[in-house]
Amino acid sequence: MRHARLPASEHIALEDVFHALSDPFRLGVVRRLAVEGEQSCQALEGDRPKSSVSHHFRVLREAGLIRTRNEGVTRMNALRRDDIEQRFPGLLDCVMSRAND
Amino acid sequence: MRHARLPASEHIALEDVFHALSDPFRLGVVRRLAVEGEQSCQALEGDRPKSSVSHHFRVLREAGLIRTRNEGVTRMNALRRDDIEQRFPGLLDCVMSRAND
DNA sequence: TCGATAGTTCGATATTTTTCGAATTTTGGC
DNA sequence: GCCAAAATTCGAAAAATATCGAACTATCGA
């Protein structure tokens, strides 16, 4: 399998992170991963087609927000919590602070 | 003059803020306003046409990040620092933390 | 009132993103 | 090897954003 592009912590760009988080679906995914931990794509897709979901996960991955690993036939997505915190301290707190508005 | 739409502090939406900040020009404007204080549009336009600059300032205004007031023939733009801090504590620190990468 | 300056608005085009079905890949189980 | 499940990739079409010139508006000063 080709390896997903995943920027090293020090190459995570704030513009990319902001762009990734400017979509309500993706912001929701990040918030759920923060609360619930690692999840499959399927567990987080609403009712939209797999190809759309896959696209959004790719945007999150390429922005440096999540990491994906294989577990059997499913792929588990995890928030890169430490990497994000190290590079942009406080950002995740910010994202979570108004999660229920 | 018609009044620019400017969301009340409690209506500033995180998605909108993130979208506004996902553009490098706009992110740069916000960082400069944070450091240098109130500025005219002109002072912050690079070499792009006025209409483009005006568009970006409008996005920032509608997202709730800046406020614009008339001062004679120019319009002065200021970061809504307190409003942003109150609604999303730490966000501005985050934006400024890697301003020189 | 006329001119100059600073921005805004409009409208048209270009670029980027999003959406989603169909085909493909990867992995595990039988 | 074959089938099913989970997700990715491809390709095309739709939607949202960005860009920029031209026309317009507001304000000041002479």
Side-chain angles (χ1 to χ4, degrees), chain A residues 7-70:
Chain A
S9 167
E10 66 272 21
H11 292 132
I12 298 178
L14 196 53
E15 285 94 330
D16 294 344
V17 169
F18 283 155
H19 168 252
L21 295 176
S22 69
D23 178 272
F25 177 76
R26 294 191 295 253
L27 183 59
V29 165
V30 166
R31 283 171 165 162
R32 287 196 56 186
L33 291 179
V35 170
E36 303 169 25
E38 223 182 18
Q39 299 287 333
S40 69
C41 299
Q42 203 178 211
L44 297 178
E45 86 193 23
D47 50 356
R48 54 190 94 194
K50 291 137 73 84
S51 51
S52 296
V53 174
S54 191
H55 161 71
H56 287 300
F57 275 93
R58 185 218 278 246
V59 172
L60 289 171
R61 212 179 298 120
E62 293 185 350
L65 287 164
I66 67 174
R67 154 187 301 124
T68 304
R69 72 182 177 82
N70 283 7

Side-chain angles (χ1 to χ4, degrees), chain B residues 40-42 50-51 54 73 75:
Chain B
S40 68
C41 299
Q42 202 179 215
K50 292 135 73 83
S51 51
S54 191
V73 79
R75 313 197 67 198

Side-chain angles (χ1 to χ4, degrees), chain B residues 41-87:
Chain B
C41 299
Q42 202 179 215
L44 297 178
E45 85 194 26
D47 50 355
R48 54 190 94 193
K50 292 135 73 83
S51 51
S52 296
V53 174
S54 191
H55 161 71
H56 287 300
F57 275 93
R58 186 219 278 248
V59 172
L60 290 171
R61 210 157 31 230
E62 294 185 349
L65 287 164
I66 66 173
R67 152 187 302 124
T68 304
R69 72 182 175 84
N70 284 8
E71 174 156 328
V73 79
T74 91
R75 313 197 67 198
M76 295 301 278
N77 304 283
L79 197 56
R80 294 176 61 184
R81 203 187 284 272
D82 295 346
D83 289 341
I84 301 166
E85 183 59 23
Q86 184 191 338
R87 183 135 178 85

